[in-house]
Amino acid sequence: MEMTPYEIYVFFLCLVVFVLLVGFSSICISTIYRLCVRLIRSGHEDERLITEDEKARRKKDGKFVKILYSSASCLLLAFLAVVFFSSMYVNCTQSTYFENIPTYRVVNTGSMAKVHANNSYLDDLGIDDRIQTFDLITTYKIPKEEDLELYDIVVYEVDETLIVHRIVGIESPNEQHPNEYHYLLQGDAVDRPDRYPVLYSQMKGIYYGERIPFIGSFVLFMQSPAGWLCMLFALGTTIVSPIMEKKLYNEKQKRLRLIRGEVK
């Protein structure tokens, strides 16, 4: 899928912000690290280092805490990775349908979020399958034409845009369209059908009521350039943080050996 000029602009804007943020963070981390090393080597932290070392020697759960911390970091990174790749999967497959395999898509309009007062047929039939903005819904391959029924919710394509609306009318073949059915689609929140009838060939999927409320906003964010860059930043932070801690730990151990007279 080609990016629009606006999407390209947003991508490069986020990239510039990301580079500036990484540069600023790198300068801050480097400065803090140098200051900590200078304090340790100058002896200003000797008393605290000795106290911490004595406490660490008395405690037997120090390694357990480190393992727990490392495990938590790995789990967080794994969670972010799962969410990121799941978002990419939703983005890449939302217009692709296979037999009996669900397809996920984010609803980004409110046309099915409430019932317009004129749409009394929903209350009369006891239909209550609202779809809110930013719901993540599960859709399936469109069934055979003869299996479609009035008030089914389907996904159809018009001008390369996928729309989720309800079938509110079915016109059998007639003199105006002798070889095909015409379907009237409408959002529950509006009082009139879509402007043009929909053909069966335009329909891509059908919705059976499976949805995860409001998680779509997070999915959309992870699909955006800002989401990609946040994922990279989180990945970089998870990798750099243990390295910096290890270096500071080595500096502290060198200073402790010097205090004890183990080295000159």
Side-chain angles (χ1 to χ4, degrees):
M1 184 181 295
E2 294 184 1
M3 298 178 67
T4 64
Y6 176 75
E7 290 174 334
I8 294 174
Y9 164 75
V10 171
F11 175 77
F12 280 105
L13 178 62
C14 292
L15 185 61
V16 170
V17 173
F18 175 74
V19 171
L20 293 176
L21 181 62
V22 170
F24 178 73
S25 300
S26 300
I27 293 173
C28 290
I29 293 173
S30 178
T31 302
I32 293 172
Y33 172 74
R34 287 199 299 269
L35 288 174
C36 290
V37 171
R38 188 177 299 174
L39 286 172
I40 292 171
R41 292 179 177 178
S42 65
H44 289 83
E45 295 289 298
D46 287 356
E47 185 176 349
R48 186 176 65 84
L49 290 179
I50 294 172
T51 303
E52 289 181 355
D53 184 60
E54 291 176 351
K55 289 181 179 180
R57 289 175 181 273
R58 288 195 299 266
K59 291 182 179 180
K60 297 181 180 180
D61 58 348
K63 291 184 178 180
F64 175 76
V65 173
K66 291 181 179 179
I67 294 174
L68 186 63
Y69 176 78
S70 300
S71 300
S73 299
C74 293
L75 287 175
L76 177 60
L77 185 61
F79 172 75
L80 291 175
V82 168
V83 172
F84 176 75
F85 287 112
S86 297
S87 301
M88 293 301 99
Y89 174 80
V90 171
N91 186 48
C92 295
T93 62
Q94 62 181 344
S95 59
T96 304
Y97 289 87
F98 301 97
E99 197 70 35
N100 299 323
I101 299 178
T103 295
Y104 303 94
R105 62 176 290 101
V106 176
V107 177
N108 51 19
T109 69
S111 62
M112 296 290 291
K114 59 183 180 179
V115 179
H116 194 278
N118 293 343
N119 300 333
S120 58
Y121 53 83
L122 295 175
D123 292 330
D124 295 341
L125 297 173
I127 299 175
D128 186 21
D129 46 5
R130 303 279 68 73
I131 303 176
Q132 303 295 330
T133 307
F134 299 131
D135 282 357
L136 181 68
I137 65 172
T138 302
T139 58
Y140 295 84
K141 186 177 180 180
I142 197 73
K144 295 180 180 179
E145 189 168 11
E146 57 268 23
D147 294 332
L148 287 175
E149 298 179 355
L150 202 62
Y151 308 123
D152 281 344
I153 297 177
V154 299
V155 181
Y156 75 96
E157 184 176 14
V158 57
D159 296 332
E160 299 184 353
T161 301
L162 294 175
I163 301 173
V164 182
H165 276 176
R166 191 185 302 276
I167 298 176
V168 297
I170 302 176
E171 294 182 1
S172 300
N174 53 41
E175 293 181 357
Q176 296 180 344
H177 46 90
N179 300 319
E180 55 193 3
Y181 284 85
H182 277 189
Y183 297 86
L184 299 180
L185 277 292
Q186 179 177 331
D188 292 343
V190 296
D191 62 344
R192 65 188 64 185
D194 298 344
R195 184 174 182 181
Y196 298 107
V198 177
L199 304 179
Y200 177 77
S201 59
Q202 294 176 258
M203 298 182 186
K204 305 299 180 182
I206 187 168
Y207 169 69
Y208 291 124
E210 302 171 1
R211 69 186 180 96
I212 304 176
F214 308 117
I215 197 174
S217 56
F218 190 64
V219 173
L220 288 177
F221 173 74
M222 294 303 293
Q223 292 174 355
S224 68
W228 305 341
L229 299 178
C230 283
M231 180 63 191
L232 290 175
F233 189 76
L235 178 62
T237 302
T238 306
I239 294 173
V240 170
S241 180
I243 295 175
M244 299 301 296
E245 288 183 1
K246 182 65 175 178
K247 288 186 175 182
L248 284 176
Y249 175 79
N250 291 336
E251 288 292 336
K252 291 177 181 179
Q253 293 304 308
K254 288 180 182 179
R255 184 63 188 179
L256 285 171
R257 287 196 296 270
L258 183 63
I259 294 172
R260 299 189 192 111
E262 298 175 2
V263 294
K264 295 182 180 181

